[in-house]
Amino acid sequence: MTTLALPTMLPYQTIGNVCAAIAVVLLLWPLQHLLWAYSHEKAFRNGWEPEVLFVLIPQWLLLMGGLLCVTASGGFDELRLGRPALYALTIATAVSLAVVCFVLVAMFIQPGFSPRVIYVPLIVVVPLATALLICLSLNPRLALGSSLQWLRWPWTAFAALSLVACVGFFGSQLVRTGLGSLAGIVHRIQQAHDNAPAQMAEIARLDPQTDFGFAELLKLADGYHDSAVRETATARLRSVADFPARLAAELAGSRNEPALAFVQATTLSPEEKALLALPTRAALQRFTGGIPAPNYMPPERRKQLLKWGRKTFADLARKFEGTGVDFAPTLAAFEHALRPDDSRR
């Protein structure tokens, strides 16, 4: 009696099929439910990004895993690249397709003058075609002997366009902002190193017992100076007998930015944290209250202030955790003060 041997499935075939199947489930249920809910809202709602990314990130991580399985099975060997280069290209392609899908969903949720129906086909077809390509490449028998070129070439063309668009966009952003920021960081480090001898001499002349000397030492002890300068200035400040009280007085002043920068950059003892938590929160509240309305400041200045504040406020909130002082309302007030639609006069 003869028995028919069933074809065995390799591990990467199983993994690829499972990844594609779960990705399709995410596409057809959570993502479509999310789009359906947004399409029935009368007004656009902010804060949609976490909900979308919560679905898109696992969906495209799964599809990336499936595409890597196709690469491992030799599905893209016709590109005549080495296997490591193929893996890198597969990852880059999956990331670019994920970015394109995120942009399409964003245009669906906030379409402006274009109807939502334009974006729905691509939102569905792109991941669905990717999952189908994975399954047919790993299971050739499902194609019933027909060639996969009808699917492979359109998918490859769209993936290539997505990859070129993402590389061009992020490359231009890097050239425009990234290199300039890097040059600025290098310049500040070099300038801090060159100015260190003069600043050390200035620290020796300043008297921390006077209000002027204490304030100047705070400026030299922030996170923007050479480490030796910061340590020496901090030691001079701590030589004052009533150091926490003097620092709290600086935080209560009208120009409290140096004191805030010092508190952010300096390691504080538990006792100092307990004494400075409330003055620091009050200083942040006064700083927020002094922010002009967004319609009275250039957009670039608003973005810079928002970027600085989100980091500074969050750092200070983490530093004073466990003191019983809640910094969350302060951060919320800061965000509200810089909203573009704030019409304060």
Side-chain angles (χ1 to χ4, degrees):
M1 180 177 179
T2 60
T3 57
L4 296 176
L6 295 175
T8 59
M9 186 171 291
L10 297 176
Y12 56 76
Q13 290 179 292
T14 303
I15 295 173
N17 290 330
V18 171
C19 287
I22 299 176
V24 170
V25 172
L26 292 176
L27 169 69
L28 297 180
W29 181 52
L31 185 59
Q32 297 307 309
H33 176 75
L34 180 64
L35 297 180
W36 177 265
Y38 272 103
S39 66
H40 285 73
E41 290 188 356
K42 295 182 179 180
F44 300 143
R45 175 160 53 92
N46 292 322
W48 53 269
E49 295 92 342
E51 298 180 58
V52 171
L53 292 175
F54 188 76
V55 179
L56 286 184
I57 289 177
Q59 173 186 297
W60 279 101
L61 284 177
L62 290 165
L63 291 175
M64 180 191 297
L67 290 172
L68 289 172
C69 291
V70 174
T71 304
S73 68
F76 298 122
D77 285 353
E78 67 270 13
L79 295 177
R80 300 183 182 279
L81 296 173
R83 193 54 60 87
L86 282 176
Y87 285 131
L89 182 61
T90 300
I91 294 173
T93 301
V95 171
S96 65
L97 288 173
V99 171
V100 169
C101 283
F102 178 79
V103 172
L104 291 172
V105 172
M107 297 172 73
F108 172 89
I109 291 176
Q110 297 180 334
F113 295 102
S114 54
R116 285 190 166 102
V117 70
I118 296 176
Y119 311 110
V120 174
L122 284 175
I123 293 173
V124 175
V125 168
V126 173
L128 197 60
T130 305
L132 184 61
L133 177 66
I134 293 169
C135 291
L136 294 181
S137 298
L138 295 175
N139 308 277
R141 293 186 179 184
L142 296 178
L144 301 177
S146 63
S147 174
L148 292 180
Q149 302 307 317
W150 63 272
L151 175 62
R152 186 180 295 272
W153 283 112
W155 182 88
T156 302
F158 185 82
L161 288 175
S162 302
L163 183 59
V164 171
C166 289
V167 170
F169 174 77
F170 290 110
S172 64
Q173 293 296 313
L174 177 63
V175 171
R176 189 175 66 178
T177 60
L179 295 180
S181 299
L182 179 61
I185 293 172
V186 173
H187 176 72
R188 286 196 297 269
I189 294 175
Q190 183 63 39
Q191 188 177 33
H193 179 74
D194 295 340
N195 294 339
Q199 291 169 346
M200 294 290 283
E202 184 181 0
I203 291 173
R205 290 193 301 268
L206 291 172
D207 183 5
Q209 301 295 338
T210 66
D211 293 340
F212 175 79
F214 195 90
E216 292 300 310
L217 286 169
L218 282 177
K219 295 177 183 178
L220 293 169
D222 61 20
Y224 300 101
H225 291 84
D226 186 76
S227 58
V229 173
R230 296 199 306 267
E231 292 171 3
T232 305
T234 301
R236 291 276 287 167
L237 288 167
R238 290 186 178 278
S239 67
V240 179
D242 55 345
F243 165 70
R246 293 286 298 276
L247 182 55
E250 290 292 331
L251 289 169
S254 57
R255 296 183 178 181
N256 51 27
E257 291 87 349
L260 286 172
F262 174 81
V263 171
Q264 182 185 6
T266 303
T267 302
L268 301 173
S269 67
E271 294 77 13
E272 290 172 340
K273 289 181 181 180
L275 291 172
L276 294 172
L278 283 173
T280 300
R281 187 180 68 176
L284 293 176
Q285 291 170 342
R286 282 191 298 274
F287 180 85
T288 301
I291 296 176
N295 53 349
Y296 282 98
M297 71 173 69
E300 286 300 320
R301 171 58 180 164
R302 188 184 69 85
K303 292 179 181 178
Q304 292 172 358
L305 191 59
L306 191 61
K307 181 179 179 180
W308 172 86
R310 283 173 174 170
K311 183 180 187 307
T312 301
F313 280 48
D315 288 348
L316 291 172
R318 285 192 296 269
K319 174 162 286 191
F320 290 101
E321 285 180 349
T323 60
V325 178
D326 186 9
F327 281 75
T330 308
L331 179 57
F334 173 80
E335 295 275 353
H336 177 77
L338 289 170
R339 285 176 52 185
D341 57 346
D342 191 354
S343 58
R344 290 176 293 140
R345 294 293 187 269

